[in-house]
Amino acid sequence: MPIKLQKEHVSLSEVLCSQYCRCAAESDVIVPDVKPDVLKILQISSDVTVTQKNVQTDRVYVQGVIRLNILYIPDGETVGRVKSISATQDFSHQLDIKGAKAGMVLSVDAECEPPEYTLINSRKLNVRSKIGLSIKLTVPTEVEIATDIDGDEPVQTSGMHLRLCSAGSEAERDIIIRERLEIPDEKPDIGELLKIDAKPFSSELKIIDGKAAVKGEVRLCLLYGAADEDASVQFAEYTLPFTEILEIDGLAEGMEGEVEYSVKDTYSEIAQDSDGDNRMAGIELTLCARVKTFKTVELDAIADAYGLNGELIIERSAYNLEQLIANISADAAVKETVTVPDLLPELYRICDCTALPNIENISIDNGAVTVSGFVSCSVLYLPNGGELPIAAFSHTIPFSHSFEIAGIKKDSVCDAKSEVGHISFNMNSAREIELRVTVEICLRAVSPGQTMLIDSMEQNEDAETVTIPSMIIYFVQSGDTLWDIAKRYRTTPDAIIEANGKEKEILKPGNRIYIFR
């Protein structure tokens, strides 16, 4: 006779592939006709955006664009002038993944290393970029998990606690920020806009039914050539807060999530203030907000069962379940004194300092997960005299942080992401800078593998009736559990404890216990 089970329906995502790979992009940048010849490249900065991703049979395809900003000293111009060029590079990458097919969920994170370049001639340079791609492919699955017996059947069950991440969603929405930025009073008028460095940060995410309420800010550094005789290089810094309500189907209150931002596009123009002076910059930023959501489901599944009055027939199936161990974050603070390279002039004033974190290694040892990597810092500064109007150099700083996690094992799978939460600096001298960077690390640890779950059970009416004495004297063997003993003699663990005392004392090997039926 079938025994009716209470089952809980859970929507999960089975990870088919989680992989980090690299690809490259190379292109020649031609100086526009309206720009002067190049004498010396000062700095090339880059931002990367994924524009297309799709899943095909046994492979995935990723396409994107790299936005380049090139600062240079022009040939034949007055000393002190700096010019800039904006350019783009396209990249694509194909990854073979056995079992991939349309309908699966593809998540891609992209990062770009500082570009390398070769100045071919005064009107042409070759730029080479390396892109790191974190690719995860998941399969939505529906699971019915038995959690209890429906009714008063004489059946004993043991539970298995599961902590699972239900299948969430991932959606991208554009946020457009338009501002008119005024140059500080002590700064000269704008002659030419050279570079806009914008870094978005998230401060809050609130999920409600069908919507994600997001708050954040963009820290922006504006570099420009002044409208003076020498076209001196100037900079100004701003903080642009934003709040948006994003419409996303499928979101529900109680979900957890995170939001990541990237700069998709920038537009800028010189504008006049009320006096007709070029002291305003009109800025339009297009941010890509990628909202990832999930819901943590905790339940006690039936791990095993037996009948008190007869034998059971139990059907089980294997499920690939990722049990969530931890989903935590922490800050790793790093500090290092950096010396300006000998070939560059001394510091007068720092214009801008940017940092990009890269995770190199995730290790598990003695109940702890250690995440380590390095931060690539780029410093743009005004020199103290000399022929260069502006100079730049790069420096890498290592970082490491350990998370103490209960239940972590060597075969656990850990994913980590990092971003710079804060960067500051002090000029110790004309050739030394103290850099301080806070790296925000988000770690997600899961226990992978197959889990056997009960699909159905019924009384075995064809089994021979076995007579069990009303009292049994049993000598405990090494490795025995109360569940094993109770199951063997069709009683309950509680009944054994009631007749013999505390569990720790009962299970000492060689101990004599009494079992009553």
Side-chain angles (χ1 to χ4, degrees), residues 159-452:
M160 170 175 54
H161 188 71
L162 299 177
R163 188 167 182 243
L164 309 171
C165 278
S166 66
S169 64
E170 180 175 318
E172 294 183 356
R173 297 291 185 271
D174 286 349
I175 298 175
I176 298 177
I177 300 174
R178 296 183 180 93
E179 291 285 347
R180 285 172 61 88
L181 306 177
E182 186 173 5
I183 300 300
D185 292 340
E186 69 274 11
K187 302 280 186 179
D189 290 1
I190 302 173
E192 180 182 359
L193 295 174
L194 298 175
K195 179 185 178 183
I196 297 172
D197 184 56
K199 178 64 176 175
F201 292 89
S202 173
S203 60
E204 186 179 332
L205 168 64
K206 185 178 180 180
I207 298 172
I208 52 183
D209 291 343
K211 297 180 177 66
V214 300
K215 287 184 179 181
E217 64 180 26
V218 177
R219 299 170 197 171
L220 186 143
C221 179
L222 176 67
L223 193 73
Y224 70 96
D228 54 25
E229 184 178 351
D230 296 328
S232 61
V233 177
Q234 303 289 331
F235 72 95
E237 296 177 300
Y238 307 88
T239 299
L240 310 179
F242 63 87
T243 301
E244 291 285 336
I245 303 294
L246 307 177
E247 302 277 348
I248 301 176
D249 292 339
L251 297 192
E253 196 165 348
M255 283 185 169
E256 303 174 62
E258 60 184 24
V259 58
E260 300 172 353
Y261 297 101
S262 61
V263 179
K264 194 172 181 180
D265 198 11
T266 62
Y267 172 78
S268 62
E269 62 179 6
I270 301 173
Q272 294 181 341
D273 62 10
S274 57
D275 296 327
D277 298 324
N278 290 341
R279 300 194 58 79
M280 305 287 291
I283 304 294
E284 182 176 292
L285 301 176
T286 302
L287 304 183
C288 178
R290 185 162 60 149
V291 181
K292 300 178 182 179
T293 60
F294 63 91
K295 189 172 184 179
T296 302
V297 178
E298 296 197 48
L299 50 83
D300 291 310
I302 300 177
D304 195 12
Y306 63 89
L308 294 177
N309 297 331
E311 183 181 325
L312 298 180
I313 299 174
I314 299 176
E315 297 289 339
R316 291 181 170 88
S317 295
Y319 294 87
N320 292 319
L321 300 180
E322 281 192 341
Q323 295 199 53
L324 182 63
I325 302 173
N327 191 25
I328 53 179
S329 60
D331 292 342
V334 296
K335 180 175 71 173
E336 189 164 308
T337 299
V338 180
T339 302
V340 177
D342 294 337
L343 296 176
L344 293 178
E346 292 183 345
L347 295 158
Y348 170 65
R349 184 180 299 167
I350 296 175
C351 298
D352 188 27
C353 186
T354 60
L356 177 67
N358 292 272
I359 293 174
E360 284 191 305
N361 187 51
I362 303 173
S363 60
I364 303 173
D365 189 37
N366 293 327
V369 179
T370 300
V371 179
S372 57
F374 63 91
V375 182
S376 297
C377 299
S378 180
V379 180
L380 191 69
Y381 70 97
L382 302 180
N384 187 9
E387 295 185 356
L388 287 178
I390 193 167
F393 66 92
S394 298
H395 183 78
T396 59
I397 305 175
F399 71 86
S400 180
H401 186 81
S402 292
F403 297 84
E404 299 287 337
I405 300 177
I408 198 76
K409 298 178 181 178
K410 280 286 186 181
D411 62 349
S412 299
V413 175
C414 298
D415 289 329
K417 293 182 179 180
S418 61
E419 68 175 24
V420 170
H422 179 73
I423 182 169
S424 60
F425 50 82
N426 281 331
M427 285 178 53
N428 294 341
S429 69
R431 301 205 69 84
E432 275 193 356
I433 308 171
E434 184 182 79
L435 293 177
R436 297 180 298 276
V437 182
T438 300
V439 181
E440 297 177 351
I441 304 172
C442 297
L443 178 73
R444 184 173 181 269
V446 298
S447 178
Q450 287 192 337
T451 302
M452 300 299 295

